[in-house]
Amino acid sequence: MGRAEVGTPKYLANKMKAKGLQKLRWYCQMCEKQCRDENGFKCHTMSESHQRQLLLFADSPGKFLHNFSKEFSDGYMELLRRRFGTKRTNANKIYQEYIAHKEHIHMNATRWLTLSDYVKWLGRTGQVVADETEKGWFVTYIDRSPEAMERQAKAERKEKMEKDDEERMTEFIEKQIKKAKSKDGEEDESQEKYTELKREEEQPLKLDIRLEKKFQPESILGKSALHSKRTAAESDEKVFKKPKPVPTESSRSALDEIIKLEERSKERANRKDYWLHPNIVVKFISSSMGDKFYKQKAVVQEVIDRYRAKIKFLESGEKCKVDQAHLETVIPALDKEVLVVNGAYRGSEALLKKLDERKYCVSIEILHGPLKGRIVDNVQYEDICKLYAT
């Protein structure tokens, strides 16, 4: 049999078959059959085999719906993990690549009506980090494989060791600074004040040298003369003694430079993309749960997988699990305790001293640890959060 001529219905049908993917509206998920046009789909729905599949679905619709939803989600997440990894990607782009496969599970057979509903469900269950923009929904895969967890644990152990070394170095530098300051104070107190030697005109110069009058038969001069010579020499040395050099500004500036370098290294080591901590007060900024909880304050009771938290709303007392993308930090009043949630002093409790609304930053005073009493300026709003007072 020869090939169909170009432009004939047979030729178009063969081209559609070769293309693979056809219109989803003419696909039957229960029978896993793709029809070419509306007439073919109508004939299929009236067939006996399709009626038998509908009877099976009517016996346990929840089971079939759950299986289709699970297969669709597994295929979508596998493509996201293998193809894009942990990169932030447009959800629709992943869906287009997923449905390009001819034998995929169609979304109209799952419990999600739209792709947006499915992406929101992924964000609520903690499988991805979902955020909505003007260009649509974007997702970021959260890798929880054993290999990734092991790498993360190793990184945390290394970070802890580096942090311990930095704390020891900072404590040593603080001790050296205190020691240098105490020495400077002692030297200022112990310095003798000398006056200039002045002589009035026409007055003879008199030297008051008191010699001990003790007779020594061993020598003509005796020990008293030798003793007087020693005392005179010692007095001359005292008169012309030069004061010890005081530490200059260059040495102090060197210490300040060392402290700045240490703070920069701590900033690089402690700056993370997650900031949730237990016992802090946060604000719920997502409108997905309605106006009841929108912009309501809550306390973080437990941190789950770094990026999610179990919170309790302060007014209603209700509890829920949310992602950190739906929360923001709370700035308390002046002279109130805060927790540094990100940056160089991550995990330190401090006191809010000053607020700069133009630069969106604050000044804090560290309350505990080897750095107690240190004033830190230009701390961003996002790096501190109000502590919950029990």
Side-chain angles (χ1 to χ4, degrees), residues 138-250:
F138 284 78
V139 295
T140 306
Y141 179 69
I142 301 176
D143 192 359
R144 292 191 176 90
S145 61
E147 295 81 6
M149 299 299 289
E150 182 64 24
R151 289 195 302 269
Q152 188 175 357
K154 288 182 180 179
E156 288 180 354
R157 289 194 293 267
K158 184 178 179 181
E159 177 186 346
K160 185 178 180 181
M161 292 176 64
E162 292 178 354
K163 188 175 182 181
D164 294 340
D165 294 339
E166 291 174 0
E167 289 179 355
R168 284 195 294 269
M169 179 61 70
T170 305
E171 186 176 358
F172 173 75
I173 293 173
E174 292 288 341
K175 288 182 179 178
Q176 294 296 323
I177 294 173
K178 291 181 181 179
K179 189 175 180 181
K181 289 182 179 179
S182 62
K183 284 185 178 180
D184 293 344
E186 292 177 0
E187 288 178 358
D188 294 339
E189 293 177 359
S190 62
Q191 272 187 353
E192 298 180 0
K193 296 182 179 180
Y194 303 102
T195 58
E196 186 180 355
L197 180 62
K198 295 182 179 180
R199 181 167 66 94
E200 297 180 2
E201 297 181 357
E202 297 179 358
Q203 283 189 358
L205 180 63
K206 295 181 180 180
L207 296 176
D208 188 8
I209 302 176
R210 297 178 182 179
L211 303 177
E212 295 181 1
K213 297 181 179 180
K214 291 184 180 180
F215 177 74
Q216 295 293 340
E218 291 85 0
S219 62
I220 298 174
L221 295 176
K223 292 183 179 179
S224 59
L226 296 175
H227 179 70
S228 62
K229 288 182 180 180
R230 292 195 191 99
T231 54
E234 290 176 358
S235 62
D236 293 340
E237 289 179 0
K238 287 183 179 180
V239 171
F240 297 104
K241 188 172 92 173
K242 295 181 179 180
K244 294 182 180 180
V246 181
T248 60
E249 293 294 332
S250 61

Side-chain angles (χ1 to χ4, degrees), residues 330-365:
V330 174
I331 307 299
L334 294 178
D335 296 329
K336 295 293 184 180
E337 292 187 2
V338 296
L339 181 70
V340 183
V341 296
N342 211 345
Y345 300 91
R346 183 187 181 100
S348 301
E349 295 183 6
L351 201 66
L352 184 62
K353 304 298 292 183
K354 186 178 179 183
L355 189 67
D356 192 347
E357 296 181 356
R358 292 184 178 180
K359 297 182 180 180
Y360 301 101
C361 61
V362 297
S363 297
I364 59 174
E365 179 183 353

